[in-house]
């Protein structure tokens, strides 16, 4: 299931990149193309801010993971059940997957920004 979530993220971002490319190529008037490129840049900027904010969130989750692991080690194996360690491990896997998806988003958003900038500059 994790693999399919990465494929979906790549496919949806590639679809956005393809729509951007095709829409900017088929508009003939420079003014209309520039307006569309600016709107796409604003959208990419908003998504980039969201992705960068998620990195801050992932950093805080990582600190919580380390703190919970430290507490579980201090309590010992008897007091802390295996379910607590399982939960921490599952959260760690989900955090890593979220970070990978955020990097995928940033890659495609950077490609979209480069595409829009190239279409604005060229006539």
């Amino acid at each position: 299931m994790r693999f399919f979530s990465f494929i979906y993220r790549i496919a949806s971002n590639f679809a956005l990149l393809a729509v951007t490319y095709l829409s900017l190529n088929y508009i003939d008037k420079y003014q209309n193309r520039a307006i569309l490129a600016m709107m796409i840049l604003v959208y990419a900027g908003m998504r980039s801010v969201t992705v960068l904010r998620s990195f801050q969130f992932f950093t805080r989750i990582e600190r919580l993971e380390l703190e919970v692991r430290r507490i579980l080690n201090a309590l010992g194996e008897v007091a802390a059940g295996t379910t607590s360690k399982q939960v921490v491990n599952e959260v760690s896997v989900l955090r890593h997957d979220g970070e990978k998806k955020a990097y995928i988003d940033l890659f495609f958003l950077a490609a979209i920004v480069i595409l829009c900038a190239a279409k604005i500059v060229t006539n």
Side-chain angles (χ1 to χ4, degrees):
M1 213 49 181
R2 291 174 49 203
F3 184 68
F4 290 124
S5 69
F6 290 125
I7 290 175
Y8 172 75
R9 185 65 62 111
I10 291 171
S12 64
N13 281 322
F14 185 77
L16 177 64
L17 179 66
V19 167
T20 300
Y21 178 77
L22 292 174
S23 63
L24 289 175
N25 273 340
Y26 287 117
I27 295 179
D28 292 331
K29 294 179 84 178
Y30 175 76
Q31 184 178 6
N32 294 342
R33 186 172 53 219
I35 290 171
L36 179 63
M38 291 294 182
M39 291 174 61
I40 293 171
L41 284 174
V42 168
Y43 175 75
M46 290 186 316
R47 286 218 18 218
S48 297
V49 168
T50 303
V51 168
L52 294 174
R53 180 82 173 132
S54 70
F55 281 125
Q56 183 182 18
F57 179 68
F58 291 138
T59 305
R60 290 182 179 167
I61 290 175
E62 184 177 17
R63 277 193 250 147
L64 284 173
E65 285 175 31
L66 292 174
E67 191 66 25
V68 169
R69 286 176 198 244
R70 187 184 64 80
I71 290 171
L72 288 176
N73 286 336
L75 290 175
E77 295 292 327
V78 178
T82 58
T83 57
S84 300
K85 290 185 179 184
Q86 266 184 331
V87 168
V88 172
N89 289 336
E90 289 175 6
V91 168
S92 178
V93 168
L94 291 174
R95 180 182 54 83
H96 284 298
D97 289 350
E99 287 176 349
K100 289 176 188 174
K101 290 175 189 175
Y103 282 120
I104 291 169
D105 286 345
L106 279 179
F107 172 76
F108 279 100
L109 290 171
I112 288 171
V113 168
I114 291 170
L115 179 67
C116 287
K119 288 297 178 182
I120 291 175
V121 172
T122 60
N123 285 331

